[in-house]
Amino acid sequence: MSMSLRIYHNPRCSKSRQTLQLLRDQGIEPEIIEYLKTPPSREELEQVLEMLGLEPRQLMRTREKEYKEQGLDNPDLSRDQLIDAMLATPRLIERPIVIRDGKAAIGRPPEQVLELL
């Protein structure tokens, strides 16, 4: 049974690797998007936020040094400015994100993506 499933993956992230392995253990070989090499477009990122029902800051890795360096904790920043920052610095995007049939889940914990299957 084939299903189109994508994972925004960072091979250096243990949670991302665990999530990918979990999918493979279910017999699923997802389309892997190494988002640090191939960042999403603004449109893709907007869609992911919508599918997750999150605001941009909720999808950001607020502990990354870039978050502090770029002053992204400033509450006055607009949604667009936060999205711009994620597009310019994809490291700030929480990972892994798994997408299937217009639904998305963040693999934190990895088991959370099983809801999509």
Side-chain angles (χ1 to χ4, degrees), residues 24 41 60 70 99 107 109:
R24 288 177 168 157
S41 66
M60 291 176 114
Q70 296 177 31
I99 296 173

Side-chain angles (χ1 to χ4, degrees), residues 67-109:
Y67 185 81
K68 289 276 180 279
E69 285 172 359
Q70 296 177 31
L72 297 172
D73 47 359
N74 177 346
D76 297 334
L77 292 174
S78 70
R79 190 169 196 272
D80 276 346
Q81 286 171 307
L82 292 171
I83 288 174
D84 286 343
M86 290 199 278
L87 296 173
T89 313
R91 283 174 55 103
L92 290 167
I93 302 172
E94 187 57 272
R95 58 184 181 247
I97 302 168
V98 175
I99 296 173
R100 175 184 177 213
D101 296 338
K103 295 193 181 78
I106 298 174
R108 293 187 171 266

